Amino acid sequence: MRVEIWSDIACPWCYVGKARFEKALAAFPHRDDVEVVHRSFELDPGRARGDVQPVLTLLTRKYGMSEAQAQAGEDNLGAQAAAEGLDYRTRGRDHGSTFDMHRLLHFAKDRGRQDELLRILYRANFAEERSVYTEGAERLVELAVEAGLDAEAARAVLADPAAHADEVRADEREAAELGATGVPFFVLDRAYGVSGAQPAEVFTRALTRAWGERSPLRPVGQDTAEACGPDGCAVPQD
């Protein structure tokens, strides 16, 4: 079974939702048969690379709330994250473009390190004092190396604006086609969708239902045709 997760590194509920989903998956009896694929989704796709601002400024301008309300929301998110064993800085975080991070995640996917890099990017964005937005490509290269990727290869990806850009845009178009207007958005075997950072028990029910309702293969043609198996291949008889 395949689970696809659309998310953005700048999305705090994606950070929390990933932890809740993984808690459910860890207890799922068929977890070794579940493939998890991370898909790209930018909350702020038009933002320029150098356009960085404090999170509180973003929240007050985008949602029309007071700074006190915005800070209360951050404090609540910090509590939600802590409940899942995650570190979360409720003061002093910033916000910027995540497009290069998504490109790097597709590069990491090709090398089997996507989930590890995503975990590291989340931690860097939400828990560490150093910004993932203001230090340029070298900060992302440093995090890519921590995820087990080659520094020069990661640096080359970031230096080429076209590298993996099409994959990012394709993920975002597909999210729109599936009706995803926000993230995190979980799609199980292209049969069930779960929106938002749901409690772990919701993910448990979704996994169980999707697994139980997988469609068995329907044979086409005769089942007596020649084939190879563990005991060898059928030999035609005259």
Side-chain angles (χ1 to χ4, degrees):
M1 183 168 71
R2 171 181 279 200
V3 178
E4 297 162 276
I5 307 173
W6 273 263
S7 60
D8 191 10
I9 300 93
C11 165
W13 289 117
C14 296
Y15 180 46
V16 173
K18 184 177 189 294
R20 292 175 177 172
F21 170 77
E22 288 175 348
K23 183 182 295 184
L25 183 61
F28 186 56
H30 308 288
R31 61 185 177 276
D32 292 337
D33 296 309
V34 177
E35 176 191 11
V36 178
V37 178
H38 297 286
R39 302 290 192 191
S40 298
F41 190 106
E42 294 172 276
L43 292 174
D44 203 352
R47 183 176 288 270
R49 285 181 176 85
D51 184 5
V52 180
Q53 65 183 151
V55 166
L56 290 188
T57 301
L58 168 75
L59 294 174
T60 56
R61 291 178 179 175
K62 187 172 184 177
Y63 300 107
M65 60 178 64
S66 68
E67 186 169 322
Q69 290 172 320
Q71 187 59 66
E74 281 292 284
D75 291 340
N76 175 58
L77 276 163
Q80 298 268 1
E84 304 303 330
L86 302 172
D87 292 328
Y88 189 99
R89 292 179 64 233
T90 61
R91 304 288 191 281
R93 289 195 308 107
D94 57 8
H95 173 82
S97 171
T98 58
F99 185 62
D100 284 344
M101 296 181 223
H102 284 295
R103 294 197 300 116
L104 204 55
L105 283 165
H106 277 279
F107 164 72
K109 178 185 176 184
D110 292 342
R111 286 154 179 75
R113 306 300 297 173
Q114 186 188 46
D115 188 76
E116 182 66 10
L117 179 59
L118 182 60
R119 182 187 64 78
I120 289 170
L121 289 171
Y122 275 142
R123 185 205 68 209
N125 185 52
F126 291 108
E128 297 182 358
E129 290 189 14
R130 292 177 62 191
S131 173
V132 293
Y133 305 108
T134 61
E135 294 189 28
E138 284 308 304
R139 172 65 168 146
L140 299 184
V141 170
E142 177 185 314
L143 296 172
V145 169
E146 186 179 343
L149 297 166
D150 178 74
E152 288 305 315
R155 191 173 287 113
V157 168
L158 294 170
D160 179 4
H164 300 285
D166 288 345
E167 291 100 313
V168 176
R169 298 307 184 209
D171 278 356
E172 293 175 335
R173 286 194 300 272
E174 195 165 13
E177 291 166 2
L178 290 169
T181 57
V183 284
F185 186 67
F186 303 77
V187 177
L188 291 75
D189 256 2
R190 290 298 169 111
Y192 293 97
V194 179
S195 181
Q198 300 284 350
E201 52 267 26
V202 173
F203 290 119
T204 296
R205 291 198 298 271
L207 287 166
T208 301
R209 185 171 182 180
W211 182 270
E213 296 186 11
R214 289 177 305 147
S215 299
L217 292 175
R218 298 179 181 178
V220 176
Q222 299 179 357
D223 59 5
T224 56
E226 293 81 1
C228 295
D231 298 324
C233 298
V235 179
Q237 301 294 319
D238 294 332

